């Protein structure tokens, strides 16, 4: 799979925006559909590979659930945990499908996280 510099730059820009605009974001990882990291901002780099793999698996499960339920494509998966949230959104670019994963603490406003993450996916889809 060949990721163009334009898409890579768009991914870095999306991460910058998400980290700047959302209070309480701990990590943002943008990966390919098969789990390869494209861009990330997180303290623990070991977490990046795991999050990319998890996002890939959950996106695949979401796709199957959407198809089996006759609801269509899965756009996002949201996980609420004891200490925060993980949102994983799909950005369907004509050349490659990307997954935007946002890890946020309990202090983050989930609606704000979802809004800015959706804006990031739109920018990636049009990169």
């Amino acid at each position: 799979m060949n990721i163009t510099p334009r898409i890579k730059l768009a991914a870095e820009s999306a991460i910058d925006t998400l980290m700047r605009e959302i209070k309480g974001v701990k990590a943002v990882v943008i990966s390919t559909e098969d789990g390869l990291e494209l861009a990330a901002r997180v303290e623990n780099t070991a977490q990046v590979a795991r999050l990319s793999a998890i996002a890939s698996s959950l996106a695949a499960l979401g796709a199957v659930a959407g198809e089996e339920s006759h609801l269509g494509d899965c756009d996002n998966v949201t996980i609420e945990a004891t200490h925060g949230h993980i949102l994983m959104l799909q950005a369907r670019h004509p050349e490659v499908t990307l997954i935007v994963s946002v890890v946020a603490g309990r202090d983050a406003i989930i609606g704000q996280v979802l809004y800015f993450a959706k804006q990031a996916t739109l920018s990636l889809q049009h990169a």
Side-chain angles (χ1 to χ4, degrees):
M1 174 180 311
N2 187 19
I3 304 294
T4 65
R6 183 182 76 256
I7 294 172
K8 175 84 169 149
L9 186 62
E12 294 288 347
S13 178
I15 288 175
D16 289 342
T17 300
L18 290 167
M19 296 298 287
R20 181 180 64 246
E21 296 293 334
I22 306 169
K23 178 186 175 202
V25 169
K26 298 178 180 297
V28 178
V29 178
I30 298 177
S31 53
T32 62
E33 194 173 30
D34 55 0
L36 298 173
E37 172 202 343
L38 179 61
R41 180 102 32 90
V42 63
E43 294 172 8
N44 181 351
T45 56
Q47 183 183 5
V48 171
R50 287 193 310 230
L51 187 56
S52 290
I54 290 168
S56 174
S57 297
L58 287 174
L61 287 172
V64 170
E67 289 171 18
E68 292 295 321
S69 302
H70 305 289
L71 295 175
D73 292 334
C74 175
D75 291 326
N76 68 68
V77 175
T78 303
I79 298 171
E80 183 176 357
T82 304
H83 300 290
H85 306 273
I86 303 172
L87 278 77
M88 293 170 225
L89 297 89
Q90 290 199 21
R92 293 177 185 89
H93 186 277
E95 296 172 25
V96 62
T97 297
L98 301 173
I99 301 170
V100 178
S101 301
V102 181
V103 179
R106 267 298 204 211
D107 56 335
I109 299 168
I110 193 69
Q112 185 182 39
V113 177
L114 184 57
Y115 172 80
F116 282 108
K118 282 188 175 191
Q119 294 303 310
T121 62
L122 288 174
S123 70
L124 288 168
Q125 287 173 181
H126 296 101

